Amino acid sequence: MTHQNGHSSSEKNLDIIDSPDDHFQDECAVFGIFGTPDAAAHTALGLHALQHRGQSATGIVTFDNSTAQFYTHRGMGRVSANYHDPSVMEGLKGSSAIGHNRYATTGENSLRNVQPLEADLDLGHVAIAHNGNIVNYPKLRSKLQKIGQIFHTSSDTEIVLQLMAKSLKENLIEKLNDALAEIVGAYAFVALVNDSMIGIRDPNGLRPLVLGKLGEAWVLASETCAFDIIGAEFIREIEAGEMVVIDQFGIKSHRHHPKTNVFNCVFEYVYFSRPDSISDGVSFYERRKHIGMELARESHVEADIVIPVPDSGVPAALGYAAASKIPFELGIIRNHYVGRTFIEPTAQIRHLGVRLKHNAIPTIIKGKRVILVDDSIVRGTTAKKIVRMILDAGATEVHLRIASPATKSTCHYGVDTPDEEELLANNYDHSGMVNYLGCTTLAFISIEALYNSVSTTQNLLHGSTTQQGDTPGYCFACFNKRYPIEIPAKADIRKFPDN
Amino acid sequence: MTHQNGHSSSEKNLDIIDSPDDHFQDECAVFGIFGTPDAAAHTALGLHALQHRGQSATGIVTFDNSTAQFYTHRGMGRVSANYHDPSVMEGLKGSSAIGHNRYATTGENSLRNVQPLEADLDLGHVAIAHNGNIVNYPKLRSKLQKIGQIFHTSSDTEIVLQLMAKSLKENLIEKLNDALAEIVGAYAFVALVNDSMIGIRDPNGLRPLVLGKLGEAWVLASETCAFDIIGAEFIREIEAGEMVVIDQFGIKSHRHHPKTNVFNCVFEYVYFSRPDSISDGVSFYERRKHIGMELARESHVEADIVIPVPDSGVPAALGYAAASKIPFELGIIRNHYVGRTFIEPTAQIRHLGVRLKHNAIPTIIKGKRVILVDDSIVRGTTAKKIVRMILDAGATEVHLRIASPATKSTCHYGVDTPDEEELLANNYDHSGMVNYLGCTTLAFISIEALYNSVSTTQNLLHGSTTQQGDTPGYCFACFNKRYPIEIPAKADIRKFPDN
Amino acid sequence: MTHQNGHSSSEKNLDIIDSPDDHFQDECAVFGIFGTPDAAAHTALGLHALQHRGQSATGIVTFDNSTAQFYTHRGMGRVSANYHDPSVMEGLKGSSAIGHNRYATTGENSLRNVQPLEADLDLGHVAIAHNGNIVNYPKLRSKLQKIGQIFHTSSDTEIVLQLMAKSLKENLIEKLNDALAEIVGAYAFVALVNDSMIGIRDPNGLRPLVLGKLGEAWVLASETCAFDIIGAEFIREIEAGEMVVIDQFGIKSHRHHPKTNVFNCVFEYVYFSRPDSISDGVSFYERRKHIGMELARESHVEADIVIPVPDSGVPAALGYAAASKIPFELGIIRNHYVGRTFIEPTAQIRHLGVRLKHNAIPTIIKGKRVILVDDSIVRGTTAKKIVRMILDAGATEVHLRIASPATKSTCHYGVDTPDEEELLANNYDHSGMVNYLGCTTLAFISIEALYNSVSTTQNLLHGSTTQQGDTPGYCFACFNKRYPIEIPAKADIRKFPDN
Amino acid sequence: MTHQNGHSSSEKNLDIIDSPDDHFQDECAVFGIFGTPDAAAHTALGLHALQHRGQSATGIVTFDNSTAQFYTHRGMGRVSANYHDPSVMEGLKGSSAIGHNRYATTGENSLRNVQPLEADLDLGHVAIAHNGNIVNYPKLRSKLQKIGQIFHTSSDTEIVLQLMAKSLKENLIEKLNDALAEIVGAYAFVALVNDSMIGIRDPNGLRPLVLGKLGEAWVLASETCAFDIIGAEFIREIEAGEMVVIDQFGIKSHRHHPKTNVFNCVFEYVYFSRPDSISDGVSFYERRKHIGMELARESHVEADIVIPVPDSGVPAALGYAAASKIPFELGIIRNHYVGRTFIEPTAQIRHLGVRLKHNAIPTIIKGKRVILVDDSIVRGTTAKKIVRMILDAGATEVHLRIASPATKSTCHYGVDTPDEEELLANNYDHSGMVNYLGCTTLAFISIEALYNSVSTTQNLLHGSTTQQGDTPGYCFACFNKRYPIEIPAKADIRKFPDN
């Protein structure tokens, strides 16, 4: 017996002319700030900077120290649409706050699943926001239901609240520790627990979380670009397996899990993180440019111009052009006004093959041998269209170069991936892909070259000594199926992690 | 540490020119139907007929037998505003449904409190809607929180779901019985428990619940007027302490509590129930007319015309006029277009003493001795204004006659009453009230006369033998403080029961 | 070549279960106030009191003397929904204001037709609101279009602005006089013309307009109930053919047309005006009660109870009961929560014969001979349903008594009437009507009796000496087709006057 | 006496943290299509491609040949928000359509000003959409008001309808010609006149209009990118002074004004047109890259990296980098999620100097001599912030290079420009600007170099023989105050042309 929720009728329209972006889709953003007036406004700004990680819903919970009260706003849609109303912001009183952006997966999009989630526990109030996926959530949920716990959301984040509620510890932080001891997965949490703010990162560091400071206030965020928007200073990453507890007496750190191998999600380097966010002292823009250079070295081809698929392919294309000495041209223009919905196409309109989002400039493409660079290929639907568009614009050859290896497996750690049978690389061999995409040649960067281009400084920093396969320090499971955390049996897999 | 919810900003405007209706405020409506196509549409109609019992929010949960799925719509505002959208109704598939109208109390008006509430329990799905108040809710909630249950609403209805979840019984109906064994209070529940519909009434019969039939389908409702709108036939009242379970094999009844004294809420007779609803074979219209006759006999005065405060005072005024042989006149016109909000009054406008809702007709009042009849006085604010209006219209005398005794105490059984210190009768003696209201004379019907006029047939039917004070069969606690169910200590009283 | 307007999609839902009220439908309300702070708030209140005359849209235009600026708000829906927003009210600055409520006719419901209409003319700004119908509008519009005037609405009110624009006079008031000289019809106008407020009534006084005072401020309104809500004092009616000009120096009156026969719309007495509004010193409540008395005398029948169709039949039923000495009972309860839309009925639901608006009380009807009183019958659809409902409730006889003559002809003077072929009395003879309606007997009040009951004081006051047929002083055209103003040829008739 | 309109309250929120984009702001887009099913859907797509020319409002008027009816939708906001509703699109029946995007200027943003404007004239229906400014509108409006024409909008487009209405010609096309003979200014019109579609360009070709074909259907648009989205083929530009009339018999062209000097708006080349739009066989992307090359040659400086202000500075920066051989880096990331409104900044937040839209990447800027390239400087507010941001990111030098001359004068031809006293170049000499902006050096491209880079092919094509100053074929008035069309006296200038 299942249950479906009828209240979110506003969700039903999807972008129906353009196929949705053919990307792995990140997976939510978290932000928190402790110890500043207008904590909610800072959080709204931080969430705005992290909008690329999730656009379907957003929430903020604040804590007002003077009255010991919590305040909440949660709503569907974007950050700017939710927090421009002065009455909403005035309602979010307090000097500490956490917030969340949610990525839209199909299915349960109702307001009750919008984070931060909250609970009044016996010892106080907890609000928590999550980026990641708790792999053993279905099993834990089922166990807890059997002993009489009622679940109010279909979000795996709730399991943390339920486990805290069942913990026998006499202190909320210890209850939270008890909860973390039960869960397995990839996670970055920010939480308000009574008058403290907490930041937590999973034992393998699969999902990112960084710590910053703005004057005396402490800040937590998924990426450093959320520090830049409010002028906060980057202090350090939260370590894999670390929990920080921030209260009026300062910050305390402890490990909730012993040290183990680190497996940072390599797709943060390829696509998820904003180019201006920084990791280990290097921006993702530079890393992607460097990946493009490696790609050029691995898959050189004679050509006249290098054109990126904007915006995600631009850094790698710049790197490719630099390494190959082939001129870079912005030969495709992207229309940034595309909303989430548009007119329903009639047969007549569908037939047009409408280009809502991208348009090629024929005057610079005509008669040219084009190297077309994108960051990744998932189903291949968009790439196929864009190759066609470049050829229609008069290119004599289209050499498609992809700044990541071919994606072959589902992510179980908080990233929305299609069914494996939908992935292009699972349906065709190399020549089949070339044929399907209609390009002259096709090359993906190799796992090794990608590893080299991202790992330069990383290994040293994380001191990863144990080697799991060929990519110490990173998770490449979507390319090579080497899952660093055991994944559940087929039956227990949730199709759509929400965080 | 408490928590306040920020998402329902649409709730904040209140009617600010007119003082809100000076009445005890009922307390919600429940409706359920089992075994008909379009169960949701029938439920929407039933809830529409019961709109007078609660206008702030409404919800419907349906069960579709063919797919074993539940569907929900819950929304703020009135029935007609929530269910005219065809896409909402199409989403509410199924042949059984329960629904709820909620009365607005201040405070927690967020969507998460809108009923029916639901839970996925280990053995299946439960949806429940409630009219009443669970007196020991604060104590039970606190106990359950201590053992790790998380509450997601501030509605006392949730306690039933939580108690079911903790029950060790192996069957949902038995779990529900376990839950009823723990709760104390006044309640009428309708529930969907997997593929059954349940109706439950509290041991004392404080809150009403009636059973009807529409063809082969069974219907439950707070009042019989909800049967009339869909053409259903009234079968009988659900008895005090009775639970009925309706499924594909028919209806089964059992007692969840042993027989005890019945205490029907007398305010259903005075004001809450719609005049065309019927109890023990008599309409509330007739009962109120009869109360007016008793009132005329008790408090005769020489006068020229009898005028009701519309609409609630009309039946009693008709009775008063009939018994006293003084002509009845609709001397006050009520504007039914008054919405929940209106312009914010400036000082200039406030000074006008604007009459948004009522207007007197001076041409029939001028020079007359007026008997002004209303059903009840709570704070006296509206009565004072209306007495003033009648005098301004030229009445030489205004004899205020009230078809219920003076209200002196808070209801703890699901009726919204002001603080006792706000009640007019607690602030003034009789002459003080006359003085405050500005009337020539003032009379309330006596408890005895009210009892006589409602109890004619009732005693026999309910066979109540034990006498509690002077009003066997009825609760008169708001008039005489004789509470049939022990009320909790001050500290544990919830200010605003939501159901 | 015609044009249809696509922007008002919110209009399309109509009440689809209940047939719309089977009444002639009034026709709009006008209100104006000059010389008070918060003129807009006073106007919103006045329009609220006049809400019964039109619910589809409303507008207010204010004039701020200190800056010589005009401010406008116009919107679809009710008064309370439009003016509760503080930012709307703050925007409507000024010490004079006019307002309008619009009755919904099918067709052109777009915002551009919502009144007051405005124009920037060469000599200044004019805003005007209208209740009535300009009979020669189609002809005038066509003429003006031929000489190059562009019409921006489909409202006949615009013709006044266009005629003013074309007038050669050197003064806006004189231009307005020129415009009035051209138009033929039934009209009550309030206007702001630069810094003056104007009130105008048609030569025959078909549509009502009254003058009042609130302190030093002058007030104009369709009915006196709009004075009561703000505590203004009734001064006098605007006379047929009169124009009053109110400015900072006081009020001036002149005739725009010479004296001629007065023909007040008799349907204002029967149904349109609010019962508490007053005309010639008598309330419409009393007049209707008196009509009911006449009706009882004309069409006596043996019976047990008199029941009104609420709310419009109540005063006449009270009169009928008083004159016939048969007891009055509120045997039908009306649900005032009916919104403009509700669920779309499926076949299943339609079959129920749902009673959204009215419900009979069987316990007072069963076994009785019932006299059922309503104010009028138009198509007969509602009456047929209600007769059925009374019989279903157990009445042995239903004697339908109507407090107006049988309606037989279209109104061309600002009242929404169905096509003549839809009128019950045009489709059946008396026994046919009895048969269609299903009642035991049927009687309409005679034209003579209606005339007598409304004309007692009227003749003297208006000094009408010329007799047109049998009803000096009143228009009875909808009953007897004697049109006091010549109506245009079929081709030129506008189906839906909007004012 | 003036008039202000209160109904568009949704307009009041402006982007209040970020200063609005410091650009000249174009000025609206027009689109039309004749002879295809789903004409409205094609138009919505075309308007979407032209969204960059105006985001405040949009409208479409269609003509359905089979019924000779027109249909309209006009609404505030973006294209995708207005046309995704299927009921809107279904309402826009017909095989020809015109549409408009409107740029938001302050002031009169009400729906009545949203284009296309329409009028029912004596000989038929006209709908018209306009990009440009009718310089003599105030004078013409005043004249027409004096002879009795009523204006219903504050849009200069209405003057065309009013002049048509007053024309004595017996044919709508001739009436339109009469109207064009009266107006002076910069304009591109698309119109539906009964069953024809019209395209018109002003005598000097100041505003752009191009002609295309999609199968048998004719298309008109402000830019060629609107052809690409529906797959239409570019045919030619509408010539300066040309009118094309498209009907079922084909396309006819005639001159509404004799040939005269052509003055294309040079700012279309600098900023307005989308980079992928094409003019004279060259894309604006290439033209801007070429401008960047010229700029590099004129204002060479030793530096380490070239960084564009995204997105508008990118093509010129690519050109600059190519010509100067200095590496190009995307050192500033733009957040495309910025909506039109955001949180109201408190003092605390304001103090942060929040960067909603742009963020610099310090890891590639630190220690570098940066050449910062933007397309234009208007007030200098954004440039000042971005220079500061680059310096904060660690640049040792910031050499600001602008791909247009210093803007010094107001545009009177349809472009929103600030008051001249707000323009940076009118407030400072060169060293003052350097000082204000905080950059190391500053250079604008010279008028000559800009002229050379855009005029290569242009002169020949347009055959412009008469020379006006130094820029035959182009209007450079905003740089050099040489206005090709006489501008009205100060008093008659409208501050905010709407088209």
Side-chain angles (χ1 to χ4, degrees), chain C residues 183-216:
Chain C
I183 67 174
V184 175
Y187 48 82
F189 293 117
V190 296
L192 291 177
V193 172
N194 285 341
D195 53 1
S196 305
M197 180 171 75
I198 317 282
I200 295 163
R201 205 170 168 204
D202 67 75
N204 304 108
L206 276 152
R207 302 263 62 90
L209 189 62
V210 289
L211 179 71
K213 243 188 149 180
L214 175 62
E216 292 305 300

Side-chain angles (χ1 to χ4, degrees), chain A residues 12 145 154 180 235 239 314 408 415 420 437:
Chain A
K12 73 190 159 183
Q145 275 185 325
S154 55
L180 295 178
I235 300 295
E239 280 181 47
V314 173
K408 292 186 174 156
V415 173
E420 293 192 359
L437 296 168

Side-chain angles (χ1 to χ4, degrees), chain C residues 70-373:
Chain C
F70 288 80
Y71 299 90
T72 305
H73 172 88
R74 293 179 292 126
M76 304 313 291
R78 293 195 177 168
V79 170
S80 61
N82 272 278
Y83 305 115
H84 76 267
D85 179 350
S87 74
V88 166
M89 294 313 288
E90 281 158 27
L92 293 171
K93 299 185 206 332
S95 61
S96 53
I98 61 170
H100 189 262
N101 286 339
R102 186 154 172 264
Y103 168 74
T105 55
T106 54
E108 277 278 7
N109 257 322
S110 74
L111 201 55
R112 67 167 66 201
N113 278 336
V114 178
Q115 305 193 28
L117 299 186
E118 295 176 81
D120 265 320
L121 302 185
D122 186 34
L123 299 177
H125 194 79
V126 180
I128 189 162
H130 173 209
N131 170 208
N133 188 33
I134 298 173
V135 169
N136 61 340
Y137 159 73
K139 194 179 288 185
L140 289 171
R141 177 174 172 139
S142 167
K143 272 191 196 171
L144 286 166
Q145 275 184 324
K146 279 199 182 25
I147 60 165
Q149 298 299 98
I150 299 180
F151 282 75
H152 296 265
T153 72
S154 55
S155 162
D156 62 351
T157 309
E158 189 181 352
I159 209 80
V160 178
L161 299 172
Q162 296 282 4
L163 288 166
M164 287 180 74
K166 298 309 291 178
S167 161
L168 301 174
K169 294 291 192 314
E170 295 282 330
N171 168 300
L172 280 175
I173 305 292
E174 289 175 38
K175 283 176 189 285
L176 178 52
N177 253 316
D178 274 8
L180 296 177
E182 299 292 338
I183 67 174
V184 175
Y187 48 82
F189 293 117
V190 296
L192 291 177
V193 172
N194 285 341
D195 53 1
S196 305
M197 180 171 75
I198 317 282
I200 295 163
R201 205 170 168 204
D202 67 75
N204 304 108
L206 276 152
R207 302 263 62 90
L209 189 62
V210 289
L211 179 71
K213 243 188 149 180
L214 175 62
E216 292 305 300
W218 291 97
V219 195
L220 291 164
S222 295
E223 298 179 28
T224 65
C225 65
F227 296 163
D228 297 342
I229 198 172
I230 55 170
E233 181 194 0
F234 169 77
I235 301 295
R236 64 171 178 87
E237 286 190 37
I238 301 299
E239 279 182 49
E242 182 183 10
M243 176 201 282
V244 295
V245 179
I246 296 158
D247 62 19
Q248 54 178 320
F249 306 110
I251 185 167
K252 271 174 287 185
S253 163
H254 73 267
R255 300 200 60 81
H256 54 86
H257 277 79
K259 268 216 166 157
T260 180
N261 292 331
V262 167
F263 297 103
N264 291 168
C265 169
V266 80
F267 232 85
E268 293 283 350
Y269 297 80
V270 167
Y271 174 70
F272 296 147
S273 287
R274 229 172 77 166
D276 51 333
S277 284
I278 286 169
S279 152
D280 295 320
V282 185
S283 71
F284 288 100
Y285 167 77
E286 290 161 281
R287 289 181 184 280
R288 285 167 200 164
K289 206 173 150 187
H290 195 253
I291 294 171
M293 289 173 172
E294 292 287 326
L295 177 62
R297 279 176 210 122
E298 272 199 345
S299 61
H300 180 72
V301 65
E302 290 292 311
D304 301 310
I305 48 175
V306 174
I307 292 179
V309 178
D311 294 342
S312 60
V314 172
L318 284 167
Y320 197 106
S324 66
K325 313 280 186 211
I326 300 171
F328 171 92
E329 292 284 5
L330 265 185
I332 301 172
I333 298 301
R334 177 169 168 185
N335 184 342
H336 284 286
Y337 294 109
V338 177
R340 296 193 48 196
T341 62
F342 207 64
I343 55 168
E344 289 220 40
T346 57
Q348 166 82 6
I349 291 293
R350 240 180 246 285
H351 165 82
L352 295 175
V354 168
R355 302 166 188 165
L356 276 194
K357 216 184 269 174
H358 295 113
N359 193 27
I361 306 179
T363 52
I364 58 176
I365 289 171
K366 196 168 183 184
K368 302 280 174 51
R369 295 167 301 171
V370 173
I371 292 171
L372 181 66
V373 180

Side-chain angles (χ1 to χ4, degrees), chain C residues 409-429:
Chain C
S409 9
T410 300
C411 179
H412 296 283
Y413 309 138
V415 174
D416 182 31
T417 40
D419 287 336
E420 293 192 359
E421 52 269 36
E422 293 181 50
L423 297 174
L424 185 69
N426 288 336
N427 286 309
Y428 297 104
D429 62 8

Side-chain angles (χ1 to χ4, degrees), chain B residues 218-478:
Chain B
W218 290 97
V219 195
L220 292 164
S222 295
E223 299 180 29
T224 65
C225 65
F227 296 163
D228 297 342
I229 198 171
I230 54 170
E233 179 193 1
F234 169 77
I235 301 294
R236 64 173 178 87
E237 286 189 37
I238 301 300
E239 279 183 48
E242 181 183 12
M243 177 201 281
V244 294
V245 178
I246 297 158
D247 61 20
Q248 53 178 320
F249 305 110
I251 186 166
K252 271 175 286 185
S253 163
H254 74 267
R255 300 202 60 82
H256 54 85
H257 277 79
K259 269 215 168 161
T260 180
N261 291 332
V262 166
F263 297 103
N264 291 169
C265 169
V266 81
F267 231 84
E268 293 282 350
Y269 297 81
V270 168
Y271 174 70
F272 296 147
S273 288
R274 229 172 78 167
D276 51 333
S277 283
I278 287 170
S279 152
D280 295 321
V282 187
S283 71
F284 289 100
Y285 167 77
E286 290 161 281
R287 290 181 183 281
R288 284 168 200 163
K289 206 172 150 188
H290 195 253
I291 295 170
M293 289 172 171
E294 292 286 328
L295 177 61
R297 281 176 209 120
E298 271 200 347
S299 61
H300 181 72
V301 64
E302 290 292 312
D304 302 309
I305 49 174
V306 174
I307 291 179
V309 178
D311 292 339
S312 60
V314 172
L318 284 168
Y320 197 106
S324 66
K325 314 280 187 210
I326 299 171
F328 171 92
E329 292 283 5
L330 265 185
I332 301 172
I333 296 302
R334 176 168 169 185
N335 184 342
H336 283 285
Y337 294 108
V338 176
R340 296 195 46 196
T341 61
F342 207 63
I343 56 169
E344 288 220 40
T346 57
Q348 165 81 8
I349 291 292
R350 242 181 244 286
H351 165 82
L352 296 175
V354 168
R355 300 164 189 167
L356 274 195
K357 214 183 273 172
H358 295 113
N359 193 28
I361 305 179
T363 52
I364 58 176
I365 290 171
K366 195 166 185 185
K368 300 281 172 51
R369 294 168 301 171
V370 173
I371 292 171
L372 181 66
V373 179
D374 206 353
D375 65 289
S376 60
I377 285 186
V378 178
R379 295 175 192 83
T381 46
T382 300
K384 182 186 172 78
K385 275 192 191 175
I386 288 180
V387 168
R388 181 77 257 150
M389 190 171 71
I390 299 295
L391 289 169
D392 288 349
T396 57
E397 299 175 2
V398 178
H399 303 281
L400 187 57
R401 294 296 177 268
I402 304 301
S404 62
T407 55
K408 293 186 174 156
S409 10
T410 299
C411 178
H412 295 284
Y413 309 138
V415 174
D416 182 33
T417 40
D419 287 335
E420 294 192 359
E421 52 269 37
E422 292 181 51
L423 297 174
L424 185 70
N426 289 336
N427 285 310
Y428 297 104
D429 62 8
H430 191 85
S431 71
M433 286 194 276
V434 169
N435 193 47
Y436 170 82
L437 296 168
C439 52
T440 314
T441 70
L442 166 69
F444 295 89
I445 195 170
S446 67
I447 288 183
E448 294 69 29
L450 176 58
Y451 177 68
N452 288 336
S453 74
V454 298
S455 66
T456 323
T457 59
Q458 205 85 346
N459 263 329
L460 298 167
L461 287 165
H462 289 295
S464 183
T465 52
T466 312
Q467 309 273 326
Q468 191 260 8
D470 47 0
T471 56
Y474 300 95
C475 175
F476 280 73
C478 53

Side-chain angles (χ1 to χ4, degrees), chain A residues 36 38 48 55 83-84 228 276 285-286 289 329-330 335-337 341-343 346 348 359 363-364, chain D residues 38 48 55 80 83-84 228 276 285-286 289 329-330 335-337 341-343 346 348 359 363-364:
Chain A
T36 183
D38 296 324
H48 170 68
Q55 297 96 45
Y83 305 115
H84 77 265
D228 297 341
D276 50 333
Y285 167 76
E286 290 161 282
K289 206 173 150 188
E329 292 285 3
L330 266 185
N335 184 340
H336 284 285
Y337 293 108
T341 61
F342 206 64
I343 55 169
T346 56
Q348 166 81 9
N359 193 27
T363 51
I364 57 177
Chain D
D38 295 325
H48 170 67
Q55 297 96 44
S80 61
Y83 305 114
H84 77 267
D228 296 342
D276 51 334
Y285 166 77
E286 290 161 282
K289 206 173 150 188
E329 292 283 5
L330 266 186
N335 184 341
H336 284 285
Y337 294 108
T341 63
F342 207 64
I343 56 170
T346 57
Q348 167 81 10
N359 193 28
T363 52
I364 57 176

